[in-house]
């Protein structure tokens, strides 16, 4: 990478500017913004052609914050174990879902994904406290890294449940889930889960 951060040195005398790098060869990373200031550090929008880091972040603390956010969505789709390790399958699902999002909204799918994460990330949760032999729940703030983890999990779970035992393919379900979550629509599984968590936390204050 060049010292000024304007491009990548692929070989001597060759530079590729970030605005020339497009996800899946289609979607530009330029102009994608994170409005929630607490999540900016944990939603990685570094331009990449292929969102596949090969697990190089695994043994570093908070290393997953360096993984492209699109790849983190793919990794969530590989769970539970039935789909474990099928990265190419998850890659094709996300790639097709992004095409559907663009056809339906006309917006950059990466921006739609970021908005969906911001809207479906819970700000408050509950934890169990044991005091004097009595266990009760208290409300706690959610760390930014966990907020992103939870949002991605809810989005992937919503797409999986929509496609289960249903003729609608998971690509369409994922695209629909992302579009609804980006709008904050309560029909979205991720938005419902977030609101339920925050409702319980509110009653536990």
């Amino acid at each position: 990478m060049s010292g000024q951060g304007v491009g990548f040195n692929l070989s001597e005398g060759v530079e590729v500017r970030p605005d020339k790098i497009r996800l899946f060869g289609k979607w530009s990373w330029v102009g994608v913004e994170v409005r929630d200031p607490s999540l900016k550090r944990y939603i990685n929008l570094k331009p990449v052609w292929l969102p596949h880091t090969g697990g190089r972040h695994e043994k570093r603390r908070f290393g997953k914050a360096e993984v492209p956010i699109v790849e983190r969505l793919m990794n969530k789709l590989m769970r539970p174990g039935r789909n474990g390790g099928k990265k190419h399958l998850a890659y094709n699902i996300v790639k097709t879902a992004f095409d559907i999002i663009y056809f339906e909204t006309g917006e950059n799918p990466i921006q739609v994904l970021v908005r969906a994460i911001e809207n479906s990330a819970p700000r408050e949760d509950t934890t169990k406290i044991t005091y004097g032999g009595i266990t009760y729940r208290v409300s706690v703030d959610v760390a930014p890294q966990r907020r992103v983890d939870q949002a991605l999990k809810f989005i992937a779970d919503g797409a999986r449940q929509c496609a289960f035992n249903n003729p609608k393919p998971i690509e369409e379900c994922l695209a629909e889930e992302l579009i609804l979550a980006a709008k904050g629509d309560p029909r979205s599984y991720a938005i419902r889960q977030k609101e339920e968590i925050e409702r319980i936390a509110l009653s536990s204050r």
Side-chain angles (χ1 to χ4, degrees):
M1 183 179 292
S2 63
Q4 296 179 349
V6 296
F8 298 91
N9 289 321
L10 301 180
S11 62
E12 187 175 350
V14 178
E15 269 198 9
V16 180
R17 293 181 305 178
D19 61 325
K20 297 295 184 183
I21 301 175
R22 293 180 177 269
L23 178 69
F24 305 135
K26 298 180 181 180
W27 317 116
S28 173
W29 296 87
V30 177
V32 179
E33 61 173 356
V34 182
R35 291 183 300 193
D36 191 328
S38 67
L39 300 182
K40 283 185 177 180
R41 182 179 173 186
Y42 300 96
I43 297 181
N44 187 349
L45 298 174
K46 177 183 176 181
V48 293
W49 277 293
L50 181 66
H52 184 46
T53 57
R56 289 189 291 273
H57 65 286
E58 184 179 5
K59 298 187 184 302
R60 294 199 303 272
R61 190 180 186 192
F62 301 119
K64 58 186 173 183
E66 302 172 16
V67 180
I69 194 63
V70 178
E71 182 180 358
R72 295 200 61 198
L73 176 63
M74 293 178 186
N75 292 342
K76 288 294 182 182
L77 291 172
M78 291 196 294
R79 299 176 183 174
R82 177 182 178 186
N83 295 320
K86 298 180 183 177
K87 189 65 170 272
H88 191 61
L89 175 63
Y91 176 93
N92 287 332
I93 290 172
V94 173
K95 183 178 179 180
T96 305
F98 275 22
D99 289 336
I100 295 171
I101 290 171
Y102 178 74
F103 289 135
E104 291 194 4
T105 67
E107 299 179 29
N108 186 339
I110 305 174
Q111 185 67 76
V112 173
L113 171 62
V114 171
R115 290 285 175 270
I117 291 172
E118 290 175 335
N119 290 341
S120 54
R123 296 178 177 84
E124 201 173 16
D125 202 350
T126 56
T127 186
K128 288 182 179 179
I129 298 292
T130 302
Y131 186 77
I134 300 173
T135 301
Y136 56 96
R137 289 188 171 274
V138 295
S139 175
V140 293
D141 292 333
V142 183
Q145 178 76 79
R146 180 168 170 78
R147 290 185 64 201
V148 177
D149 292 345
Q150 290 285 84
L152 290 169
K153 178 180 182 297
F154 295 155
I155 291 168
D157 287 350
R160 190 178 298 112
Q161 290 187 20
C162 167
F164 182 74
N165 211 11
N166 190 340
K168 182 185 288 188
I170 191 169
E171 294 87 353
E172 290 184 20
C173 289
L174 178 60
E176 181 181 352
E177 180 67 30
L178 287 171
I179 292 170
L180 293 176
K183 294 177 180 177
D185 195 314
R187 290 178 295 170
S188 163
Y189 175 86
I191 297 296
R192 292 199 306 270
Q193 288 294 106
K194 172 206 172 186
E195 290 177 348
E196 176 68 12
I197 287 174
E198 291 184 342
R199 183 187 63 80
I200 295 172
L202 180 62
S203 64
S204 302
R205 284 181 182 175

